[in-house]
Amino acid sequence: MKIQINTMAELGEVIRATRKANKIRLDDLAGMAGVGPVFVGDVEYGKETAQMGRVIKLMSELGLKFTVDVPTSAEPYLEKIRKGKGLIRPSKRKAHKTTST
């Protein structure tokens, strides 16, 4: 089944339901994904500031796939970025020297 996710709470519900359906304890999932059990609980209850990389690890351990519906207008830019042609990293700001008088 494919469903649209609009909030972290909705994603958390899917993660929790999948974990429970597979009879995986929260702390076991945390160990499998290399995160803490508090983090898993936070994600399952929709914490807005959860680190995306860790959330994707949880999803992967549960067999959930993360897909994005990319607009057609963004496809050429995505291709360019993936090829490394158009990926311009911002330069680090130089520290301002202060002089005392």
Side-chain angles (χ1 to χ4, degrees):
M1 161 176 33
K2 291 184 181 183
I3 63 169
Q4 184 172 330
I5 300 293
N6 295 305
T7 65
M8 283 300 291
E10 291 172 349
L11 181 58
E13 291 167 352
V14 170
I15 290 171
R16 185 169 191 229
T18 304
R19 177 180 62 78
K20 287 185 168 281
N22 287 297
K23 298 181 177 18
I24 300 172
R25 293 178 357 161
L26 187 141
D27 58 334
D28 289 337
L29 175 59
M32 291 163 48
V35 299
V38 171
F39 178 80
V40 177
D42 286 348
V43 170
E44 288 188 352
Y45 287 95
K47 184 175 181 180
E48 293 288 331
T49 58
Q51 291 180 359
M52 201 61 188
R54 291 174 155 190
V55 173
I56 292 171
K57 281 183 183 180
L58 289 178
M59 294 174 63
S60 178
E61 289 297 332
L62 293 169
L64 296 170
K65 295 178 183 170
F66 187 76
T67 60
V68 178
D69 189 9
V70 179
T72 306
S73 61
E75 289 175 8
Y77 295 97
L78 179 59
E79 186 177 328
K80 194 180 219 183
I81 290 168
R82 285 185 167 173
K83 288 181 179 177
K85 298 175 182 174
L87 182 62
I88 301 171
R89 296 182 186 244
S91 60
K92 292 183 180 179
R93 290 185 177 183
K94 293 182 180 178
H96 290 280
K97 291 184 180 180
T98 57
T99 56
S100 55
T101 53

